[in-house]
Amino acid sequence: MTNYDVLREFESGINNEQLEQAVERSGKAIEALRSEGTAMSYLGSQTFLNEDGSIGATMCRYDADSEASLRDHSERAGLAVSDIFVVGPPHAGVAPKSGVVSKAA
């Protein structure tokens, strides 16, 4: 299994209700694929907002056996796919701390 990030862009933006509907369709598609023997797990998503507050894109992380199974999942769920990325190992470096102000507790 490999971790993938799936970029989904929404040209006109979507609202939270539309996002929840997409999440429900995604879950049903994953369940169907699993029942057919395809290994796949949803790991989480990040949303990116437009200036008007609508959701302009999401980056969804999955553990899956192939990019093809992710495309099948997206098609079944009626979800856009802008791009798919294989997730690499975490970066081991430390970011410089100059100019960073810590938050008060």
Side-chain angles (χ1 to χ4, degrees), residues 8 18 21 24 33 37 51 59 90 92-93:
R8 305 181 193 285
Q18 291 167 310
Q21 292 168 354
E24 187 174 326
L33 285 163
E51 287 183 18
M59 185 69 80

Side-chain angles (χ1 to χ4, degrees), residues 24-36:
E24 187 174 326
R25 292 192 315 268
S26 174
K28 288 178 181 177
I30 289 173
E31 288 175 15
L33 285 163
R34 285 181 182 165
S35 72
E36 297 167 12

Side-chain angles (χ1 to χ4, degrees), residues 63-87:
D63 195 27
D65 61 1
S66 69
E67 182 177 324
S69 65
L70 286 170
R71 290 191 183 279
D72 185 15
H73 159 263
S74 296
E75 186 176 313
R76 291 179 188 216
L79 301 172
V81 175
S82 301
D83 212 339
I84 298 177
F85 304 92
V86 174
V87 177

